[in-house]
Amino acid sequence: MAVADTPTGFVPAVGVLCTFPQDLLAELTNDVLDFLSYTLGAVDTASYRKRLRASGIDLTAVKVQGATNALIYSLRDAVVNKLDQAGLVAKLKGYGATVWSGKSVNVVKHVWGERGAQVCQAAASLPQSIMNIGRLVSFKWALKMSVECNTAKNLNRAFIAVDLKVADGADCVHTKSFEMSLFHFQNWSKQLREINNVINDDI
């Protein structure tokens, strides 16, 4: 993956990550793998910030969080693609020699070598209910005209009425109804077309 394909701020965040002492980076890598395998609810970045400060590295909370997000982004990709140790190293080095330092790559490589296969297996075997944060059951819309209203200025105006049916993680279906102006509906549909174009380009 080229640097241009990474999220905004990825490169400087990795730069911050590479300033971490090796023992803290190894511990953070383990925490991120726990997070990605759903055995840790969140990575305690505030704790890492305090420990970094104690070791002489004073970083803002935003920078520590950004560095953590960069590691999560890199390792999530490795989990999804079930990369082996060599594959992960190639992935990290593929961003360019000026992004990940050799020492940091070696630390992440070592932890991934110990736990990578286990984390990939755990992620693959998670029940669908854990991974399912909701799904769209149906989407219905209709063009309507307002014919009565408390304020006369809204009379005879077109709007879009939307009915959504969404199933939650427990597969319970909920119905949501709302209205959109033509402008907002057109803008939203434009975004959907852009998403569709991106998907078609990638596939």
Side-chain angles (χ1 to χ4, degrees):
M1 178 182 290
V3 169
D5 298 324
T6 59
T8 302
F10 176 78
V11 172
V14 171
V16 171
L17 191 63
C18 291
T19 67
F20 283 33
Q22 293 186 33
D23 59 335
L24 279 184
L25 178 56
E27 192 172 336
L28 178 61
T29 303
N30 273 300
D31 279 353
V32 166
L33 291 179
D34 287 339
F35 172 73
L36 291 174
S37 56
Y38 294 87
T39 58
L40 181 67
V43 178
D44 187 358
T45 55
S47 173
Y48 280 101
R49 186 186 177 203
K50 290 179 182 177
R51 295 168 64 187
L52 285 166
R53 188 183 296 123
S55 66
I57 303 174
D58 192 9
L59 297 171
T60 65
V62 172
K63 286 189 175 181
V64 175
Q65 184 64 62
T68 303
N69 290 346
L71 186 57
I72 291 172
Y73 174 82
S74 299
L75 292 179
R76 178 183 285 123
D77 182 73
V79 171
V80 169
N81 292 292
K82 298 180 176 61
L83 298 181
D84 59 14
Q85 201 173 35
L88 176 62
V89 171
K91 181 78 175 181
L92 298 181
K93 289 184 175 180
Y95 292 115
T98 59
V99 181
W100 283 89
S101 70
K103 288 183 178 180
S104 297
V105 169
N106 286 336
V107 171
V108 177
K109 171 188 174 184
H110 176 73
V111 177
W112 183 257
E114 291 182 335
R115 298 191 55 199
Q118 177 188 2
V119 171
C120 289
Q121 184 178 6
S125 62
L126 284 172
Q128 186 61 31
S129 59
I130 294 178
M131 303 297 290
N132 183 17
I133 59 173
R135 62 185 175 84
L136 181 64
V137 176
S138 69
F139 175 91
K140 296 180 180 179
W141 66 274
L143 177 63
K144 297 190 175 184
M145 188 74 69
S146 59
V147 293
E148 60 180 43
C149 185
N150 292 333
T151 55
K153 64 180 181 180
N154 289 326
L155 290 175
N156 299 320
R157 291 212 177 174
F159 67 94
I160 303 297
V162 178
D163 286 318
L164 286 178
K165 285 188 178 180
V166 180
D168 60 19
D171 218 28
C172 295
V173 177
H174 305 273
T175 301
K176 306 289 183 182
S177 299
F178 57 92
E179 297 176 359
M180 301 175 72
S181 68
L182 291 182
F183 171 79
H184 287 111
F185 185 77
Q186 289 168 338
N187 184 55
W188 179 73
S189 60
K190 178 184 176 183
Q191 293 177 42
L192 285 181
R193 286 194 297 271
E194 291 172 351
I195 292 171
N196 183 62
N197 291 336
V198 170
I199 293 173
N200 289 334
D201 288 341
D202 287 344
I203 292 179

